[in-house]
Amino acid sequence: MGRAPAWGLDMTDPQAVAVFKEYNLRRHYESRHKDKYDSLQGQIRADKLSKLKSGLLAQQNTFVRQAQLNQSSVRASFRVAQLTASSSKPFTDGEFDKKCMNAVAEEVCPEKKDVFNAVSLSASTITRRIEEIRGNVYAQLQQKTKEFEFFSLALNESTDVQDTAQLLILTRGVSANFEMREELAALQSLKGTKTGEDIFGKVYQTMEEFDLNWSKLASITTDGAPSMVGMSRGLIGLMNRETEERGLTATLQVHCLIHQHALSAKC
């Protein structure tokens, strides 16, 4: 019969109340249940009322338990996705992990098998979970970098197993409350050439993404490669040129201590 009126009974179901207000409940009781329950008096009526309340509470708890089960399944799926990513395992391993979980449940707690089976660990789910975790971590890092009073950068460039140059950009900053935070800000791939201009472009892009203020950049740490420390076309030279154009003092350049140790060992 269409949408139920907001002030009375649900016209699509004459046994249900659309809005739980006192006059609606009274009218529903008098029209539907008065003949049945008015004859109950004293303790009998109290016992019947208690039984009806217990039945309603049991129905509500069923929905609560189902919601809690769904939340636990989602949290378990996220935790497996986090372990998969941190261990650099293939995303398809989640399906194998679920088979192992079900096998263990069958032997240890058969009554909980359905609970374990409700955890979604398909390759697409693991991929989506990792993307959501990555987005959350990235948003947290963006928020933290906005609190920096001063920060420094550390860079290292190396080639991966596929012969692709990867530039690691780490940031370390201090807040107004003297809280230190050091994080990997970006892992940038260098396609083709690996000149100072290419590296500077990636550093500039990262600082823009995190809204890092150039006036708060205290120092930058690199290795001794010409593309890094070159004062003309190297990263340090380009960084100094950028700060000069912004009317700022040149950034302090620091030679990576680990690279210094490696050079000393060779000598």
Side-chain angles (χ1 to χ4, degrees):
M1 297 181 62
R3 185 176 181 180
W7 59 86
L9 300 176
D10 185 352
M11 301 306 294
T12 61
D13 183 2
Q15 299 295 331
V17 179
V19 180
F20 291 100
K21 294 185 177 180
E22 182 179 353
Y23 60 86
N24 286 339
L25 294 172
R26 183 183 298 112
R27 185 176 64 177
H28 179 74
Y29 172 79
E30 291 176 352
S31 62
R32 298 289 177 182
H33 307 292
K34 183 176 181 180
D35 296 338
K36 181 177 180 180
Y37 294 112
D38 267 6
S39 59
L40 301 178
Q41 300 295 332
Q43 186 61 39
I44 298 177
R45 186 179 183 87
D47 293 342
K48 184 64 176 179
L49 179 61
S50 178
K51 184 178 179 180
L52 291 173
K53 286 183 177 180
S54 299
L56 177 61
L57 184 61
Q59 293 178 3
Q60 293 173 340
N61 288 339
T62 299
F63 292 108
V64 172
R65 286 194 297 270
Q66 184 61 39
Q68 292 175 343
L69 176 61
N70 293 339
Q71 292 176 3
S72 298
S73 299
V74 173
R75 285 199 300 269
S77 179
F78 269 104
R79 293 193 64 178
V80 173
Q82 183 181 12
L83 291 171
T84 300
S86 60
S87 302
S88 300
K89 297 293 184 181
F91 295 168
T92 52
D93 280 3
E95 298 175 356
F96 175 73
D97 294 339
K98 186 171 183 178
K99 291 180 180 179
C100 295
M101 289 166 49
N102 289 333
V104 172
E106 289 178 358
E107 297 297 332
V108 178
C109 47
E111 71 281 1
K112 297 290 185 180
K113 182 181 178 181
D114 292 340
V115 177
F116 285 90
N117 198 45
V119 181
S120 179
L121 297 177
S122 64
S124 58
T125 299
I126 294 295
T127 303
R128 187 169 62 254
R129 298 279 188 258
I130 292 175
E131 290 175 348
E132 292 175 3
I133 292 173
R134 182 261 180 195
N136 181 266
V137 171
Y138 186 79
Q140 291 185 55
L141 184 56
Q142 282 184 315
Q143 181 61 36
K144 289 297 182 181
T145 55
K146 292 179 181 179
E147 301 173 0
F148 288 165
E149 289 295 318
F150 293 98
F151 71 95
S152 60
L153 297 176
L155 290 86
N156 187 45
E157 179 266 319
S158 61
T159 304
D160 61 18
V161 294
Q162 296 181 346
D163 202 29
T164 300
Q166 303 288 354
L167 177 65
L168 289 148
I169 303 176
L170 296 99
T171 179
R172 185 180 188 184
V174 58
S175 67
N177 297 325
F178 295 99
E179 296 178 352
M180 301 292 296
R181 190 174 187 90
E182 183 176 340
E183 297 288 348
L184 173 63
L187 175 61
Q188 302 280 12
S189 297
L190 298 174
K191 305 293 185 180
T193 60
K194 298 179 287 184
T195 63
E197 289 89 346
D198 298 324
I199 297 173
F200 174 77
K202 297 298 184 182
V203 173
Y204 190 95
Q205 176 186 340
T206 301
M207 292 187 64
E208 290 294 315
E209 289 178 356
F210 286 97
D211 196 22
L212 292 170
N213 193 331
W214 283 79
S215 64
K216 297 180 179 180
L217 178 59
S219 66
I220 181 168
T221 303
T222 66
D223 58 19
S227 60
M228 290 285 188
V229 298
M231 297 307 296
S232 176
R233 300 181 60 184
L235 171 66
I236 297 301
L238 295 172
M239 293 287 287
N240 290 339
R241 190 180 308 166
E242 180 68 24
T243 54
E244 183 180 350
E245 292 177 357
R246 293 173 180 264
L248 304 172
T249 305
T251 304
L252 177 65
Q253 191 270 327
V254 181
H255 194 293
C256 175
L257 185 62
I258 297 176
H259 286 86
Q260 291 185 47
H261 287 172
L263 293 174
S264 298
K266 290 183 179 180
C267 295

